[in-house]
Amino acid sequence: MARPLADGNQVPTHPWREATVRLPGNRREPGIGNTCSMDDLVDVRGLVRRFGEREVIRGLDLKLSPGARTALVGANGSGKSTFLRCIAGTLTPNSGEVRIDGNHAGTLEARRVVGTSLSQERSFYLRLSG
């Protein structure tokens, strides 16, 4: 089975909760069973990230509960990796906040929950060992 999106594409549906985030424009497509509760694992409020004068992410709000899946859809340069780096704590937002299990993104507690490594980081391969 598949769920149609506004642009005519289809996303496979599964019994898990899902959300689709489209960048730029930051429109959030509702997913199956995608409800926010007090025990949200990821809580993004008003996320804004700029590189110089270029605003890559503008006012993004997103809440994900444990077990939810999220797809980031957008062209090259639309902010997908920037958003993931803000969640992983390797990039600081210009405004807004990102909380992981109640902890600010980038703190040791949040990094333990996320357990993420973004291989796009230049120093990633230098830290690998045999």
Side-chain angles (χ1 to χ4, degrees), residues 65-82:
S65 298
R69 294 178 310 138
T70 302
L72 300 176
V73 180
N76 288 345
S78 63
K80 300 179 301 288
S81 295
T82 299

Side-chain angles (χ1 to χ4, degrees), residues 10-77:
Q10 293 194 349
V11 175
T13 57
H14 298 282
W16 303 291
R17 287 175 278 206
E18 60 184 47
T20 301
V21 178
R22 297 181 160 278
L23 299 171
N26 303 328
R27 290 187 345 239
R28 183 176 168 197
E29 300 280 340
I32 296 172
N34 188 20
T35 58
C36 298
S37 64
M38 293 302 288
D39 57 351
D40 290 322
L41 185 62
V42 177
D43 186 6
V44 180
R45 296 182 189 175
L47 178 65
V48 174
R49 179 62 185 158
R50 293 181 198 88
F51 292 100
E53 294 296 317
R54 183 166 184 245
E55 189 172 61
V56 178
I57 300 174
R58 179 184 336 123
L60 179 65
D61 294 318
L62 176 69
K63 291 187 181 206
L64 296 173
S65 298
R69 294 178 310 138
T70 302
L72 300 176
V73 180
N76 288 345

